[in-house]
Amino acid sequence: MSRGSTVLQLPSGSISIVAKLHPTVMFNICDSYIRRNDQAERVIGTLLGSVSADGAVDIRNSYAVPHNESSEQVAVDIEYHRTMFELHQRVNPKEVIIGWYSTSAGVSGSDALIQDFYAREATNPVHLTVDTTFQDDEPSIKAYVSTTLLLGERQLAAQFHEIPLDLRMVEAERTGFDVLKKTMVDKLPNDLEAMESSLSRLHNMIDTVFRYVDDVVEGRALPDNTIGRYLADTVASIPKIAPDAFDKLFNDSVQDLLLVIYLANLTRMQLSLAEKLNTAAQIV
């Protein structure tokens, strides 16, 4: 190599970062997108959470940040961002800035400028992209981290690398997430419809497991030790209980749920009746 030449330094090594996304963050992002200004094509915001010792990023909260962008520049409302972060710190001081999000299908040209701003707010910030169009009723959610391309000592650009994203939710959150994916619904499912959907999903998963086990036993599929251990742990976690006792326990739980629904409807009816009587008394 000749003396005085400049070396282009490329990032080396693998990126061992995993992001864990809580479903409430998804709901916050979609809500901020719906409430955006008519002129705004997308929404950006700050991600809050924590980083564990093994490098896993836990995304637990978020808030939108006003911004203006064009093909050449991006303007972020820094004062609003820092004010919101101070308010969140008063409620939950353990949540820190871990990155930012945007409602887009992927990384755009101006994301490097916003990533550079958040790199001053957090170490190795995570960039979360959410495609709010939900094409084919399927969400497109991706997480990225960036590395810097250097030419000698001069910074050229930021290179984004996609990292694994883990989206876990309980059944109640999954029901709401399924409704959110449809973008347009006639009505929200009630408790019984949500339970029916959860039981149907559980039945399909059990059928899938049965077919896999049958294929392995019959020699139509190769066994996987990881799947076998997972199934063994799952079966071992189920308490041993007689079928009659299980049916009684399940029916009692359903009756308790129906009783709660009945009392909630009764309370709602009484409040509505009291409001109408109060209004009529004021008119008289």
Side-chain angles (χ1 to χ4, degrees):
M1 183 179 296
S2 61
R3 182 176 301 176
S5 61
T6 305
V7 179
L8 176 62
Q9 300 180 15
L10 300 176
S12 60
S14 60
I15 300 175
S16 58
I17 299 177
V18 177
K20 298 180 180 180
L21 179 63
H22 288 234
T24 52
V25 178
M26 273 292 306
F27 300 145
N28 288 341
I29 294 175
C30 292
D31 181 70
S32 63
Y33 180 76
I34 294 174
R35 299 174 185 271
R36 74 189 188 283
N37 295 330
D38 295 337
Q39 297 80 10
E41 295 183 359
R42 66 170 182 168
V43 176
I44 70 170
T46 303
L47 297 176
L48 302 176
S50 61
V51 181
S52 61
D54 59 354
V57 180
D58 193 13
I59 307 173
R60 295 195 296 265
N61 207 342
S62 66
Y63 57 86
V65 176
H67 81 292
N68 294 313
E69 62 179 316
S70 61
S71 58
E72 298 180 354
Q73 63 181 0
V74 178
V76 179
D77 193 338
I78 300 178
E79 292 299 326
Y80 179 88
H81 155 71
R82 291 177 177 170
T83 301
M84 288 295 296
F85 178 62
E86 291 176 358
L87 294 175
H88 276 79
Q89 282 280 287
R90 296 178 184 178
V91 178
N92 193 346
K94 294 183 179 180
E95 290 184 352
V96 298
I97 299 175
I98 55 177
W100 64 288
Y101 71 82
S102 65
T103 55
S104 56
V107 178
S108 61
S110 59
D111 288 350
L113 299 175
I114 306 176
Q115 182 77 0
D116 181 65
F117 164 71
Y118 277 94
R120 298 191 294 269
E121 301 289 315
T123 303
N124 200 12
V126 173
H127 175 29
L128 184 72
T129 61
V130 179
D131 184 8
T132 50
T133 59
F134 286 95
Q135 296 181 1
D136 300 327
D137 292 340
E138 289 296 331
S140 177
I141 310 170
K142 298 181 180 179
Y144 302 87
V145 294
S146 64
T147 54
T148 304
L149 294 177
L150 298 176
L151 183 60
E153 297 181 354
R154 181 183 176 185
Q155 178 178 344
L156 292 181
Q159 182 180 9
F160 287 90
H161 304 270
E162 186 175 355
I163 61 174
L165 180 64
D166 185 11
L167 177 59
R168 295 183 179 182
M169 58 189 81
V170 299
E171 280 302 320
E173 295 168 336
R174 183 173 296 278
T175 300
F177 187 67
D178 291 341
V179 174
L180 182 65
K181 290 191 300 183
K182 296 178 181 179
T183 65
M184 293 184 64
V185 293
D186 296 331
K187 66 181 184 67
L188 295 177
N190 55 37
D191 293 337
L192 292 179
E193 292 173 343
M195 179 181 293
E196 182 182 2
S197 176
S198 299
L199 291 176
S200 177
R201 188 182 299 110
L202 177 61
H203 186 269
N204 293 333
M205 288 190 292
I206 293 176
D207 284 342
T208 302
V209 171
F210 273 140
R211 288 195 299 268
Y212 171 77
V213 173
D214 289 340
D215 290 342
V216 171
V217 172
E218 297 295 334
R220 294 189 296 267
L222 296 176
D224 190 316
N225 294 332
T226 302
I227 298 178
R229 285 192 294 268
Y230 183 80
L231 292 177
D233 293 340
T234 302
V235 174
S237 64
I238 301 175
K240 295 182 179 180
I241 186 172
D244 295 339
F246 177 80
D247 290 341
K248 184 178 182 304
L249 180 63
F250 179 78
N251 291 330
D252 291 343
S253 299
V254 172
Q255 291 177 3
D256 292 341
L257 177 61
L258 293 175
L259 178 60
V260 171
I261 295 175
Y262 171 75
L263 293 176
N265 292 334
L266 183 61
T267 303
R268 188 182 300 111
M269 184 182 301
Q270 290 180 344
L271 291 175
S272 178
L273 181 60
E275 182 179 0
K276 292 181 179 179
L277 292 175
N278 187 27
T279 303
Q282 291 178 357
I283 295 176
V284 174

